[in-house]
Amino acid sequence: MPVNDDVKLGSNVKIFHPQLVNLYSCTIGDDTKIGSFVEIQKNVIVGSRCKISSHSFLCEGVIIEDEVFIGHGVMFTNDLYPRAANEDGSLKTEADWDVVETLVKRCASIGSNATILPGVKIGEKAIVGAGAVVTDDVPDYAIVVGVPARAIGDVRDRQQNLEIAATSYS
């Protein structure tokens, strides 16, 4: 599994085990870290200062903005109606389907083993809990968990609560 010559790597990109990834025709921003057993397909854009943890799959149509965390084993999808064959029984080719884009906004975090369905937008600084299945857009700052993923809070409230807790012990 290689890092193909057609990959556009920013400066200071760290690929921990280049022989254990599959990256082709994608763009990786400055200072991004990529773990082992990651596949990043053609036309994917990963921003700067991101972390893509091991065993994750970023398929064509995925756009990751800056400072995004992708946990271990996160799976993105890009086809709303996946099929191996056409109605006539012939194997599907690239010409037989349309890529559905998915956007992960700046500073979002996606927990381990989450699955992201095609066409959703994950908002700025949002948190997707481990194992969640994201079927709809996630608003900026939302905390979502479950199958299907549902909002349980707001990151800003959580930060405020942590600040209150920290000052109450001083």
Side-chain angles (χ1 to χ4, degrees):
M1 293 187 281
V3 176
N4 281 8
D5 292 337
D6 60 1
V7 172
K8 295 176 186 165
L9 291 176
S11 63
N12 300 312
V13 171
K14 177 70 174 164
I15 302 173
F16 292 96
H17 298 100
Q19 68 280 14
L20 298 176
V21 298
N22 189 21
L23 280 59
Y24 56 94
S25 304
C26 57
T27 301
I28 311 297
D30 297 343
D31 301 308
T32 289
K33 297 178 181 182
I34 299 173
S36 301
F37 305 108
V38 168
E39 180 167 341
I40 303 177
Q41 294 186 330
K42 70 179 182 175
N43 302 322
V44 170
I45 299 170
V46 176
S48 296
R49 297 171 307 285
C50 294
K51 181 176 180 184
I52 313 297
S53 300
S54 68
H55 299 87
S56 292
F57 176 71
L58 284 67
C59 54
E60 183 178 5
V62 173
I63 300 168
I64 306 289
E65 292 187 349
D66 295 342
E67 301 169 9
V68 168
F69 172 82
I70 305 292
H72 299 280
V74 171
M75 295 292 143
F76 287 86
T77 60
N78 63 5
D79 192 345
L80 292 170
Y81 303 101
R83 295 280 188 252
N86 294 308
E87 292 296 322
D88 65 3
S90 62
L91 285 176
K92 282 191 170 233
T93 67
E94 277 190 63
D96 296 318
W97 61 282
D98 294 316
V99 172
V100 179
E101 289 188 354
T102 298
L103 174 63
V104 181
K105 301 281 285 178
R106 188 180 151 284
C107 296
S109 294
I110 302 176
S112 295
N113 293 316
T115 300
I116 314 302
L117 271 57
V120 301
K121 179 177 84 173
I122 297 174
E124 187 171 320
K125 296 187 180 180
I127 296 176
V128 174
V133 177
V134 179
T135 60
D136 293 308
D137 289 351
V138 175
D140 292 348
Y141 305 102
I143 301 169
V144 300
V145 299
V147 179
R150 296 289 180 244
I152 62 163
D154 184 296
V155 171
R156 294 166 295 189
D157 294 338
R158 181 176 168 85
Q159 288 174 341
Q160 183 180 27
N161 292 338
L162 290 173
E163 289 168 8
I164 292 167
T167 57
S168 66
Y169 294 109
S170 45

Short mmCIF file of all heavy atoms in Angstrom, two decimals, residues 50-101:
data_model
loop_
_atom_site.label_atom_id
_atom_site.label_comp_id
_atom_site.label_asym_id
_atom_site.label_seq_id
_atom_site.Cartn_x
_atom_site.Cartn_y
_atom_site.Cartn_z
N CYS A 50 -4.37 18.48 10.73
CA CYS A 50 -5.38 17.46 11.02
C CYS A 50 -4.69 16.21 11.56
O CYS A 50 -3.48 16.04 11.40
CB CYS A 50 -6.15 17.08 9.75
SG CYS A 50 -7.16 18.41 9.09
N LYS A 51 -5.47 15.36 12.19
CA LYS A 51 -4.98 14.05 12.60
C LYS A 51 -5.97 13.01 12.09
O LYS A 51 -7.15 13.05 12.43
CB LYS A 51 -4.86 13.94 14.12
CG LYS A 51 -4.32 12.59 14.55
CD LYS A 51 -4.11 12.49 16.04
CE LYS A 51 -3.56 11.11 16.36
NZ LYS A 51 -3.42 10.92 17.80
N ILE A 52 -5.45 12.10 11.25
CA ILE A 52 -6.24 11.01 10.70
C ILE A 52 -5.70 9.74 11.35
O ILE A 52 -4.60 9.28 11.04
CB ILE A 52 -6.12 10.92 9.17
CG1 ILE A 52 -6.29 12.29 8.50
CG2 ILE A 52 -7.07 9.87 8.62
CD1 ILE A 52 -7.63 12.94 8.68
N SER A 53 -6.48 9.16 12.26
CA SER A 53 -6.01 8.01 13.03
C SER A 53 -6.07 6.72 12.21
O SER A 53 -6.75 6.64 11.19
CB SER A 53 -6.84 7.86 14.31
OG SER A 53 -6.73 9.01 15.11
N SER A 54 -5.41 5.70 12.71
CA SER A 54 -5.27 4.44 11.99
C SER A 54 -6.61 3.81 11.61
O SER A 54 -7.63 4.04 12.25
CB SER A 54 -4.48 3.44 12.84
OG SER A 54 -5.23 3.06 13.98
N HIS A 55 -6.57 3.02 10.54
CA HIS A 55 -7.70 2.22 10.05
C HIS A 55 -8.87 3.05 9.55
O HIS A 55 -9.99 2.55 9.47
CB HIS A 55 -8.16 1.22 11.11
CG HIS A 55 -7.09 0.25 11.50
ND1 HIS A 55 -6.17 0.53 12.49
CD2 HIS A 55 -6.76 -0.96 11.01
CE1 HIS A 55 -5.34 -0.49 12.61
NE2 HIS A 55 -5.66 -1.40 11.71
N SER A 56 -8.68 4.31 9.23
CA SER A 56 -9.76 5.15 8.74
C SER A 56 -9.79 5.15 7.21
O SER A 56 -8.77 4.92 6.55
CB SER A 56 -9.61 6.58 9.26
OG SER A 56 -9.84 6.60 10.65
N PHE A 57 -10.98 5.41 6.66
CA PHE A 57 -11.21 5.37 5.22
C PHE A 57 -11.87 6.67 4.78
O PHE A 57 -12.98 6.97 5.21
CB PHE A 57 -12.10 4.17 4.88
CG PHE A 57 -12.48 4.09 3.43
CD1 PHE A 57 -11.54 3.76 2.48
CD2 PHE A 57 -13.78 4.36 3.02
CE1 PHE A 57 -11.88 3.69 1.13
CE2 PHE A 57 -14.14 4.28 1.69
CZ PHE A 57 -13.19 3.95 0.73
N LEU A 58 -11.16 7.43 3.95
CA LEU A 58 -11.68 8.68 3.41
C LEU A 58 -11.83 8.49 1.91
O LEU A 58 -10.84 8.45 1.18
CB LEU A 58 -10.73 9.84 3.71
CG LEU A 58 -10.73 10.39 5.13
CD1 LEU A 58 -10.18 9.40 6.14
CD2 LEU A 58 -9.97 11.69 5.20
N CYS A 59 -13.08 8.35 1.46
CA CYS A 59 -13.35 8.07 0.06
C CYS A 59 -13.49 9.35 -0.75
O CYS A 59 -13.65 10.44 -0.20
CB CYS A 59 -14.59 7.20 -0.08
SG CYS A 59 -16.04 7.88 0.72
N GLU A 60 -13.45 9.18 -2.05
CA GLU A 60 -13.63 10.30 -2.95
C GLU A 60 -14.88 11.09 -2.57
O GLU A 60 -15.91 10.51 -2.21
CB GLU A 60 -13.76 9.78 -4.39
CG GLU A 60 -13.88 10.86 -5.42
CD GLU A 60 -13.95 10.34 -6.84
OE1 GLU A 60 -14.00 9.12 -7.05
OE2 GLU A 60 -13.97 11.19 -7.75
N GLY A 61 -14.78 12.41 -2.62
CA GLY A 61 -15.91 13.26 -2.27
C GLY A 61 -15.83 13.85 -0.87
O GLY A 61 -16.64 14.67 -0.50
N VAL A 62 -14.84 13.43 -0.09
CA VAL A 62 -14.70 13.93 1.28
C VAL A 62 -13.78 15.15 1.29
O VAL A 62 -12.70 15.13 0.69
CB VAL A 62 -14.16 12.83 2.22
CG1 VAL A 62 -13.84 13.39 3.59
CG2 VAL A 62 -15.16 11.68 2.32
N ILE A 63 -14.22 16.19 1.98
CA ILE A 63 -13.42 17.39 2.17
C ILE A 63 -13.30 17.62 3.67
O ILE A 63 -14.31 17.73 4.38
CB ILE A 63 -14.05 18.62 1.50
CG1 ILE A 63 -14.18 18.39 0.00
CG2 ILE A 63 -13.24 19.88 1.81
CD1 ILE A 63 -15.05 19.41 -0.71
N ILE A 64 -12.08 17.65 4.15
CA ILE A 64 -11.78 17.84 5.57
C ILE A 64 -11.10 19.20 5.69
O ILE A 64 -10.04 19.41 5.10
CB ILE A 64 -10.83 16.74 6.09
CG1 ILE A 64 -11.36 15.34 5.81
CG2 ILE A 64 -10.51 16.96 7.56
CD1 ILE A 64 -12.53 14.93 6.61
N GLU A 65 -11.69 20.11 6.45
CA GLU A 65 -11.06 21.42 6.65
C GLU A 65 -9.94 21.32 7.69
O GLU A 65 -9.63 20.23 8.18
CB GLU A 65 -12.12 22.45 7.04
CG GLU A 65 -13.08 22.76 5.91
CD GLU A 65 -14.04 23.88 6.21
OE1 GLU A 65 -14.14 24.33 7.38
OE2 GLU A 65 -14.72 24.33 5.26
N ASP A 66 -9.34 22.44 8.06
CA ASP A 66 -8.19 22.48 8.96
C ASP A 66 -8.55 22.04 10.38
O ASP A 66 -9.67 22.24 10.85
CB ASP A 66 -7.62 23.90 9.02
CG ASP A 66 -7.06 24.38 7.70
OD1 ASP A 66 -6.78 23.54 6.81
OD2 ASP A 66 -6.88 25.61 7.55
N GLU A 67 -7.55 21.47 11.04
CA GLU A 67 -7.57 21.16 12.48
C GLU A 67 -8.69 20.18 12.86
O GLU A 67 -9.27 20.27 13.94
CB GLU A 67 -7.66 22.46 13.30
CG GLU A 67 -6.49 23.37 13.02
CD GLU A 67 -6.64 24.76 13.59
OE1 GLU A 67 -7.60 25.01 14.35
OE2 GLU A 67 -5.81 25.62 13.25
N VAL A 68 -8.94 19.22 12.00
CA VAL A 68 -9.96 18.20 12.24
C VAL A 68 -9.30 16.95 12.79
O VAL A 68 -8.22 16.54 12.34
CB VAL A 68 -10.74 17.89 10.94
CG1 VAL A 68 -11.61 16.64 11.08
CG2 VAL A 68 -11.58 19.08 10.53
N PHE A 69 -9.97 16.32 13.77
CA PHE A 69 -9.53 15.04 14.33
C PHE A 69 -10.44 13.94 13.80
O PHE A 69 -11.67 14.03 13.92
CB PHE A 69 -9.60 15.07 15.86
CG PHE A 69 -9.35 13.73 16.48
CD1 PHE A 69 -8.05 13.28 16.67
CD2 PHE A 69 -10.40 12.91 16.87
CE1 PHE A 69 -7.80 12.03 17.23
CE2 PHE A 69 -10.16 11.67 17.43
CZ PHE A 69 -8.86 11.23 17.62
N ILE A 70 -9.83 12.90 13.22
CA ILE A 70 -10.55 11.71 12.76
C ILE A 70 -10.03 10.54 13.59
O ILE A 70 -8.85 10.19 13.51
CB ILE A 70 -10.30 11.44 11.25
CG1 ILE A 70 -10.64 12.65 10.39
CG2 ILE A 70 -11.04 10.18 10.80
CD1 ILE A 70 -12.10 13.01 10.33
N GLY A 71 -10.89 9.94 14.40
CA GLY A 71 -10.49 8.84 15.27
C GLY A 71 -10.21 7.56 14.51
O GLY A 71 -10.36 7.47 13.29
N HIS A 72 -9.84 6.54 15.25
CA HIS A 72 -9.51 5.24 14.65
C HIS A 72 -10.73 4.60 14.01
O HIS A 72 -11.83 4.62 14.57
CB HIS A 72 -8.97 4.28 15.74
CG HIS A 72 -7.73 4.78 16.39
ND1 HIS A 72 -6.49 4.66 15.83
CD2 HIS A 72 -7.55 5.45 17.56
CE1 HIS A 72 -5.59 5.20 16.62
NE2 HIS A 72 -6.20 5.70 17.68
N GLY A 73 -10.54 4.05 12.82
CA GLY A 73 -11.58 3.28 12.16
C GLY A 73 -12.79 4.06 11.69
O GLY A 73 -13.87 3.50 11.53
N VAL A 74 -12.65 5.35 11.45
CA VAL A 74 -13.76 6.15 10.94
C VAL A 74 -13.96 5.83 9.46
O VAL A 74 -13.00 5.76 8.70
CB VAL A 74 -13.51 7.65 11.15
CG1 VAL A 74 -14.56 8.49 10.44
CG2 VAL A 74 -13.49 7.97 12.64
N MET A 75 -15.22 5.62 9.07
CA MET A 75 -15.55 5.27 7.69
C MET A 75 -16.44 6.34 7.07
O MET A 75 -17.49 6.67 7.63
CB MET A 75 -16.33 3.95 7.64
CG MET A 75 -15.54 2.75 8.07
SD MET A 75 -14.23 2.40 6.90
CE MET A 75 -12.96 1.87 8.03
N PHE A 76 -16.01 6.88 5.95
CA PHE A 76 -16.82 7.79 5.16
C PHE A 76 -17.40 7.01 3.98
O PHE A 76 -16.76 6.07 3.49
CB PHE A 76 -15.98 8.95 4.63
CG PHE A 76 -15.59 9.94 5.68
CD1 PHE A 76 -14.47 9.76 6.46
CD2 PHE A 76 -16.36 11.09 5.88
CE1 PHE A 76 -14.10 10.68 7.42
CE2 PHE A 76 -16.00 12.03 6.84
CZ PHE A 76 -14.88 11.82 7.61
N THR A 77 -18.58 7.40 3.52
CA THR A 77 -19.18 6.78 2.35
C THR A 77 -19.53 7.88 1.35
O THR A 77 -19.65 9.05 1.72
CB THR A 77 -20.44 5.97 2.71
OG1 THR A 77 -21.39 6.85 3.31
CG2 THR A 77 -20.10 4.85 3.70
N ASN A 78 -19.71 7.51 0.07
CA ASN A 78 -19.95 8.53 -0.94
C ASN A 78 -21.02 8.15 -1.95
O ASN A 78 -21.16 8.79 -2.99
CB ASN A 78 -18.65 8.89 -1.66
CG ASN A 78 -18.06 7.72 -2.42
OD1 ASN A 78 -18.63 6.64 -2.50
ND2 ASN A 78 -16.87 7.93 -2.96
N ASP A 79 -21.80 7.12 -1.69
CA ASP A 79 -22.80 6.64 -2.64
C ASP A 79 -24.10 6.40 -1.89
O ASP A 79 -24.14 5.59 -0.96
CB ASP A 79 -22.30 5.35 -3.29
CG ASP A 79 -23.11 4.92 -4.48
OD1 ASP A 79 -24.23 5.43 -4.68
OD2 ASP A 79 -22.63 4.03 -5.22
N LEU A 80 -25.16 7.10 -2.30
CA LEU A 80 -26.46 6.95 -1.63
C LEU A 80 -27.15 5.63 -1.95
O LEU A 80 -27.94 5.13 -1.15
CB LEU A 80 -27.38 8.12 -2.02
CG LEU A 80 -26.96 9.49 -1.48
CD1 LEU A 80 -27.79 10.58 -2.13
CD2 LEU A 80 -27.09 9.52 0.04
N TYR A 81 -26.86 5.06 -3.12
CA TYR A 81 -27.51 3.82 -3.55
C TYR A 81 -26.45 2.84 -4.08
O TYR A 81 -26.39 2.57 -5.27
CB TYR A 81 -28.56 4.11 -4.63
CG TYR A 81 -29.59 5.11 -4.16
CD1 TYR A 81 -29.51 6.45 -4.54
CD2 TYR A 81 -30.61 4.73 -3.31
CE1 TYR A 81 -30.44 7.38 -4.09
CE2 TYR A 81 -31.55 5.65 -2.85
CZ TYR A 81 -31.46 6.96 -3.24
OH TYR A 81 -32.38 7.87 -2.80
N PRO A 82 -25.63 2.31 -3.18
CA PRO A 82 -24.52 1.46 -3.66
C PRO A 82 -25.00 0.14 -4.24
O PRO A 82 -25.88 -0.52 -3.69
CB PRO A 82 -23.68 1.24 -2.39
CG PRO A 82 -24.63 1.44 -1.26
CD PRO A 82 -25.65 2.44 -1.73
N ARG A 83 -24.46 -0.21 -5.36
CA ARG A 83 -24.71 -1.48 -6.02
C ARG A 83 -23.43 -1.91 -6.72
O ARG A 83 -22.67 -1.09 -7.22
CB ARG A 83 -25.81 -1.36 -7.09
CG ARG A 83 -27.17 -1.02 -6.53
CD ARG A 83 -27.82 -2.30 -5.97
NE ARG A 83 -29.20 -2.03 -5.60
CZ ARG A 83 -29.63 -1.94 -4.36
NH1 ARG A 83 -28.79 -2.06 -3.35
NH2 ARG A 83 -30.90 -1.72 -4.10
N ALA A 84 -23.20 -3.21 -6.79
CA ALA A 84 -22.04 -3.73 -7.50
C ALA A 84 -22.28 -3.79 -9.00
O ALA A 84 -21.35 -3.67 -9.79
CB ALA A 84 -21.70 -5.14 -6.99
N ALA A 85 -23.56 -4.00 -9.38
CA ALA A 85 -23.88 -4.19 -10.80
C ALA A 85 -25.02 -3.28 -11.23
O ALA A 85 -25.85 -2.85 -10.44
CB ALA A 85 -24.26 -5.65 -11.04
N ASN A 86 -25.05 -3.00 -12.54
CA ASN A 86 -26.14 -2.25 -13.15
C ASN A 86 -27.36 -3.17 -13.32
O ASN A 86 -27.27 -4.38 -13.11
CB ASN A 86 -25.70 -1.71 -14.52
CG ASN A 86 -24.60 -0.69 -14.39
OD1 ASN A 86 -24.73 0.27 -13.64
ND2 ASN A 86 -23.51 -0.90 -15.11
N GLU A 87 -28.49 -2.59 -13.73
CA GLU A 87 -29.72 -3.37 -13.94
C GLU A 87 -29.51 -4.51 -14.93
O GLU A 87 -30.14 -5.57 -14.80
CB GLU A 87 -30.85 -2.45 -14.41
CG GLU A 87 -31.33 -1.48 -13.36
CD GLU A 87 -31.96 -2.16 -12.14
OE1 GLU A 87 -32.67 -3.16 -12.31
OE2 GLU A 87 -31.73 -1.68 -11.02
N ASP A 88 -28.62 -4.33 -15.91
CA ASP A 88 -28.39 -5.38 -16.91
C ASP A 88 -27.40 -6.45 -16.44
O ASP A 88 -27.07 -7.36 -17.17
CB ASP A 88 -27.92 -4.77 -18.23
CG ASP A 88 -26.56 -4.09 -18.14
OD1 ASP A 88 -25.92 -4.11 -17.06
OD2 ASP A 88 -26.13 -3.50 -19.16
N GLY A 89 -26.93 -6.33 -15.20
CA GLY A 89 -26.00 -7.30 -14.65
C GLY A 89 -24.54 -6.98 -14.87
O GLY A 89 -23.67 -7.66 -14.32
N SER A 90 -24.23 -5.96 -15.64
CA SER A 90 -22.83 -5.58 -15.86
C SER A 90 -22.29 -4.89 -14.61
O SER A 90 -23.02 -4.21 -13.90
CB SER A 90 -22.72 -4.65 -17.07
OG SER A 90 -23.43 -3.45 -16.84
N LEU A 91 -21.01 -5.12 -14.36
CA LEU A 91 -20.38 -4.47 -13.21
C LEU A 91 -20.39 -2.96 -13.37
O LEU A 91 -20.16 -2.44 -14.47
CB LEU A 91 -18.94 -4.95 -13.05
CG LEU A 91 -18.75 -6.36 -12.48
CD1 LEU A 91 -17.27 -6.73 -12.47
CD2 LEU A 91 -19.33 -6.46 -11.08
N LYS A 92 -20.66 -2.27 -12.28
CA LYS A 92 -20.64 -0.81 -12.31
C LYS A 92 -19.21 -0.31 -12.48
O LYS A 92 -18.26 -0.92 -12.00
CB LYS A 92 -21.23 -0.22 -11.03
CG LYS A 92 -22.73 -0.27 -11.01
CD LYS A 92 -23.26 0.57 -9.85
CE LYS A 92 -24.74 0.71 -10.01
NZ LYS A 92 -25.19 2.08 -9.97
N THR A 93 -19.10 0.83 -13.16
CA THR A 93 -17.82 1.53 -13.31
C THR A 93 -18.01 2.94 -12.76
O THR A 93 -19.12 3.32 -12.36
CB THR A 93 -17.40 1.61 -14.79
OG1 THR A 93 -18.32 2.46 -15.49
CG2 THR A 93 -17.35 0.22 -15.44
N GLU A 94 -16.95 3.72 -12.77
CA GLU A 94 -17.05 5.11 -12.31
C GLU A 94 -18.12 5.88 -13.05
O GLU A 94 -18.76 6.77 -12.50
CB GLU A 94 -15.71 5.83 -12.49
CG GLU A 94 -14.74 5.58 -11.37
CD GLU A 94 -13.54 6.51 -11.48
OE1 GLU A 94 -13.72 7.74 -11.37
OE2 GLU A 94 -12.43 5.99 -11.65
N ALA A 95 -18.33 5.55 -14.31
CA ALA A 95 -19.32 6.27 -15.13
C ALA A 95 -20.75 5.98 -14.70
O ALA A 95 -21.67 6.70 -15.09
CB ALA A 95 -19.13 5.89 -16.60
N ASP A 96 -20.95 4.96 -13.88
CA ASP A 96 -22.31 4.53 -13.51
C ASP A 96 -22.81 5.10 -12.19
O ASP A 96 -23.88 4.71 -11.72
CB ASP A 96 -22.36 2.99 -13.43
CG ASP A 96 -22.11 2.34 -14.77
OD1 ASP A 96 -22.64 2.85 -15.78
OD2 ASP A 96 -21.37 1.34 -14.81
N TRP A 97 -22.07 6.01 -11.58
CA TRP A 97 -22.53 6.59 -10.33
C TRP A 97 -21.96 7.99 -10.15
O TRP A 97 -20.97 8.36 -10.78
CB TRP A 97 -22.19 5.70 -9.14
CG TRP A 97 -20.73 5.45 -8.91
CD1 TRP A 97 -19.94 4.58 -9.59
CD2 TRP A 97 -19.88 6.08 -7.95
NE1 TRP A 97 -18.65 4.63 -9.11
CE2 TRP A 97 -18.60 5.53 -8.10
CE3 TRP A 97 -20.09 7.04 -6.98
CZ2 TRP A 97 -17.52 5.93 -7.31
CZ3 TRP A 97 -19.02 7.43 -6.19
CH2 TRP A 97 -17.75 6.87 -6.37
N ASP A 98 -22.61 8.73 -9.29
CA ASP A 98 -22.18 10.09 -8.97
C ASP A 98 -21.67 10.13 -7.54
O ASP A 98 -22.34 9.64 -6.63
CB ASP A 98 -23.36 11.06 -9.11
CG ASP A 98 -23.83 11.19 -10.54
OD1 ASP A 98 -22.98 11.30 -11.44
OD2 ASP A 98 -25.06 11.19 -10.75
N VAL A 99 -20.52 10.74 -7.37
CA VAL A 99 -19.96 10.92 -6.03
C VAL A 99 -20.80 11.95 -5.28
O VAL A 99 -21.12 13.01 -5.82
CB VAL A 99 -18.50 11.40 -6.12
CG1 VAL A 99 -17.96 11.79 -4.76
CG2 VAL A 99 -17.63 10.34 -6.77
N VAL A 100 -21.17 11.63 -4.05
CA VAL A 100 -21.88 12.56 -3.19
C VAL A 100 -20.88 13.11 -2.18
O VAL A 100 -20.27 12.34 -1.44
CB VAL A 100 -23.07 11.86 -2.47
CG1 VAL A 100 -23.80 12.84 -1.57
CG2 VAL A 100 -24.01 11.24 -3.49
N GLU A 101 -20.70 14.42 -2.17
CA GLU A 101 -19.68 15.05 -1.33
C GLU A 101 -20.10 15.14 0.13
O GLU A 101 -21.28 15.29 0.46
CB GLU A 101 -19.35 16.44 -1.85
CG GLU A 101 -18.58 16.42 -3.14
CD GLU A 101 -18.08 17.78 -3.56
OE1 GLU A 101 -18.41 18.80 -2.91
OE2 GLU A 101 -17.34 17.83 -4.56
#
